[in-house]
């Protein structure tokens, strides 16, 4: 805390407005021998190690899957061909079921197909994928489903390469991918949900912080279950635009997460960040437990006393549920860097962050 306050006093010398960086040396443990693990706190059924069958109703799945993933996984919808880069990506790693986390394929079982969907010639093991006849749309096909949760993945065809001659044609949205060498121990992962104005801005910043494993834009707070972006934009749902940050506590910590938070947005403007106005843009920390609440209260109290001339209006609210935003909001800055909002609003925040936290940036 003292380090945070000291750096906050020095920020005006860098022509910034708030907060600072940690010079703390955070130990880095060797995780190269650990199992690949993806953290999805919003989905309690997700596991990369549990092989027990799941038997859930679609109503239960709808509560924990994004609308796009639900449509494919539970309603056998098909995404557009050539969606994203997964169909041609040759990065070495492991592919998991995006609904339940079950291991499906390794990259050495993958090949680039002209069909525009991720294609594999062999599955990870005989239990990883199951099959059934699909006679929809006047065609006779073989449907491929996850062996653990029975979610729809795609179809199996007999036009693949040797040695099997098979083509597992998969929907990219049905797959999670973890590159080799970046696995983490799930016991070291923590999450925090924060709102600091437009979630595009906050997401773009935290994606560059060392130790952060994933950042998802979404909604929290309010009275409406699983609200849409359009509903939240009305300001009448009570929900805020937020990000869910999953971080490796052996590489960063809550103190540093909060340092970044109070650096990249103005916590003294009520329900407003720049031109973005409304309760959906409020400064807010959604705490999961009393420890997070206590740490938040202590930081805000000290910043009010020693740093900010205007009172901090950041609210502390218990986290009831995080709802992941629509897919087109995820990674918005990376996918839309040429848009005026990205250049005029998001880019300056990233530059501020990179200047203050230059020693804590992810290594490309």
């Amino acid at each position: 805390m003292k380090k945070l306050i000291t750096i906050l006093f020095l920020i005006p010398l860098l022509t910034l407005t708030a907060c600072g960086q940690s010079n703390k040396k955070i130990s880095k443990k060797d995780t190269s021998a650990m199992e690949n693990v993806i953290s999805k706190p919003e989905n309690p059924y997700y596991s990369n190690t549990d092989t027990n069958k799941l038997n859930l109703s679609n109503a239960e799945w709808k509560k924990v899957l994004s609308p796009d993933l639900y449509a494919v996984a539970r309603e056998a919808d098909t995404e557009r061909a050539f969606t994203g880069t997964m169909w041609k990506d040759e990065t070495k790693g492991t592919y998991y079921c995006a609904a339940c986390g079950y291991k499906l394929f390794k990259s050495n079982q993958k090949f680039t197909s002209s069909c525009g969907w991720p294609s594999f010639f062999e599955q990870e093991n005989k239990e990883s994928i199951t099959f059934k006849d699909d006679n929809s749309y006047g065609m006779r096909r073989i449907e491929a489903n996850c062996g653990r949760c029975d979610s729809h993945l795609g179809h199996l065809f007999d036009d693949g390469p040797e040695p099997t001659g098979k083509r597992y044609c998969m929907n990219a949205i049905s797959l999670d991918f973890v590159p080799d060498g970046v696995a983490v121990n799930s016991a070291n992962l923590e999450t925090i949900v924060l709102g600091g104005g437009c979630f595009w801005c906050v997401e773009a910043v935290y994606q560059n912080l060392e130790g952060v494993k994933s950042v998802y834009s979404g909604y929290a707070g309010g009275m409406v279950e699983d609200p849409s972006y359009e509903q939240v934009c009305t300001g009448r749902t009570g929900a805020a635009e937020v990000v869910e940050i999953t971080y490796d506590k052996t590489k960063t910590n809550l103190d540093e997460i909060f340092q970044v938070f109070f650096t990249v947005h103005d916590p003294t403007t009520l329900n407003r960040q720049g031109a973005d106005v409304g309760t959906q843009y409020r400064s807010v920390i959604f705490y999961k437990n009393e420890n997070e609440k206590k740490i938040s209260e202590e930081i805000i109290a000290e910043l009010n006393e020693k740093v900010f001339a205007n009172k901090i209006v950041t609210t502390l609210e218990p986290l009831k549920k995080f709802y992941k935003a629509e897919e087109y909001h995820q990674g918005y800055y990376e996918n839309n860097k040429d848009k005026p909002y990205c250049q005029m609003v998001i880019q300056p925040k990233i530059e501020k962050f990179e200047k203050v936290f230059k020693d804590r940036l992810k290594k490309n």
Side-chain angles (χ1 to χ4, degrees):
M1 175 61 73
K2 291 181 179 179
K3 187 171 295 182
L4 169 60
I5 300 301
T6 301
I7 295 176
L8 279 168
F9 276 124
L10 296 176
I11 292 304
L13 299 178
L14 299 174
T15 67
L16 301 178
T17 58
C19 209
Q21 80 183 71
S22 169
N23 293 318
K24 186 182 296 182
K25 299 297 183 181
I26 302 174
S27 61
K28 297 183 179 181
K29 296 183 179 179
D30 179 14
T31 60
S32 59
M34 297 179 182
E35 180 73 14
N36 285 340
V37 174
I38 301 169
S39 176
K40 290 191 177 182
E42 75 280 4
N43 183 350
Y45 312 111
Y46 193 93
S47 173
N48 299 127
T49 57
D50 190 352
T51 59
N52 292 320
K53 289 282 291 185
L54 290 171
N55 185 21
L56 305 173
S57 68
N58 279 351
E60 291 175 287
W61 281 116
K62 199 165 191 176
K63 294 177 182 179
V64 299
L65 302 181
S66 69
D68 290 345
L69 177 55
Y70 177 84
V72 173
R74 307 310 306 177
E75 297 180 338
D77 200 358
T78 300
E79 68 186 6
R80 291 184 299 108
F82 303 99
T83 298
T85 61
M86 188 181 284
W87 68 277
K88 63 178 179 180
D89 189 10
E90 298 181 354
T91 306
K92 302 301 182 185
T94 305
Y95 293 83
Y96 301 89
C97 172
C100 75
Y102 197 40
K103 186 186 293 186
L104 302 175
F105 304 101
K106 291 289 289 183
S107 56
N108 59 8
Q109 299 165 321
K110 184 174 183 285
F111 68 99
T112 299
S113 169
S114 59
C115 69
W117 287 281
S119 299
F120 304 83
F121 61 81
E122 187 178 38
Q123 62 195 72
E124 171 63 14
N125 61 70
K126 63 180 181 179
E127 285 84 27
S128 60
I129 298 175
T130 60
F131 307 95
K132 65 180 180 181
D133 291 336
D134 178 5
N135 297 317
S136 61
Y137 304 107
M139 296 182 287
R140 297 185 64 182
R141 296 179 294 175
I142 299 176
E143 181 180 358
N145 298 317
C146 172
R148 179 174 180 244
C149 69
D150 202 35
S151 287
H152 176 77
L153 301 170
H155 290 88
L156 178 68
F157 299 97
D158 291 322
D159 57 2
E162 295 297 335
T164 66
K166 302 293 184 180
R167 175 168 61 94
Y168 294 73
C169 184
M170 304 287 100
N171 289 283
I173 195 172
S174 295
L175 304 175
D176 282 336
F177 177 69
V178 176
D180 288 343
V182 298
V184 296
N185 187 341
S186 59
N188 294 329
L189 296 180
E190 296 284 353
T191 62
I192 186 72
V193 174
L194 306 171
C198 173
F199 48 23
W200 297 341
C201 301
V202 187
E203 180 197 74
V205 166
Y206 277 106
Q207 285 177 334
N208 294 303
L209 179 64
E210 176 66 21
V212 169
K213 309 309 296 182
S214 66
V215 189
Y216 290 110
S217 290
Y219 316 108
M223 304 78 68
V224 178
E225 183 176 346
D226 197 13
S228 68
Y229 180 64
E230 289 73 21
Q231 288 176 308
V232 173
C233 282
T234 67
R236 296 193 293 269
T237 66
E241 289 193 11
V242 298
V243 294
E244 179 191 66
I245 304 162
T246 300
Y247 62 95
D248 184 346
K249 62 187 180 182
T250 69
K251 298 181 180 181
T252 186
N253 52 45
L254 195 57
D255 181 63
E256 185 171 61
I257 297 293
F258 283 150
Q259 288 179 41
V260 174
F261 179 65
F262 286 109
T263 297
V264 299
H265 87 295
D266 185 351
T268 68
T269 54
L270 183 63
N271 300 329
R272 178 173 190 159
Q273 287 297 306
D276 294 322
V277 180
T279 56
Q280 68 270 32
Y281 299 115
R282 66 186 180 272
S283 175
V284 55
I285 298 172
F286 285 95
Y287 60 88
K288 300 190 302 296
N289 51 55
E290 288 303 311
N291 181 58
E292 287 184 356
K293 182 181 180 182
K294 182 174 182 291
I295 293 174
S296 303
E297 289 173 336
E298 291 174 350
I299 288 177
I300 290 173
E302 193 153 2
L303 292 179
N304 271 327
E305 179 183 353
K306 298 181 179 180
V307 177
F308 289 99
N310 297 321
K311 185 178 179 180
I312 291 176
V313 294
T314 303
T315 60
L316 304 181
E317 304 175 29
L319 178 64
K320 297 178 181 178
K321 179 75 174 178
F322 169 80
Y323 299 102
K324 188 178 177 182
E326 297 82 347
E327 286 301 313
Y328 70 90
H329 289 300
Q330 311 305 326
Y332 186 86
Y333 174 76
E334 284 298 317
N335 295 324
N336 300 275
K337 289 183 179 180
D338 59 334
K339 297 288 181 67
Y341 188 89
C342 292
Q343 294 179 353
M344 299 174 63
V345 179
I346 303 179
Q347 183 61 34
K349 290 179 179 288
I350 294 176
E351 291 173 354
K352 176 191 290 188
F353 162 76
E354 290 177 342
K355 190 172 185 179
V356 180
F357 293 86
K358 59 182 179 296
D359 295 330
R360 296 293 297 136
L361 302 179
K362 286 182 178 177
K363 307 298 187 295
N364 293 327

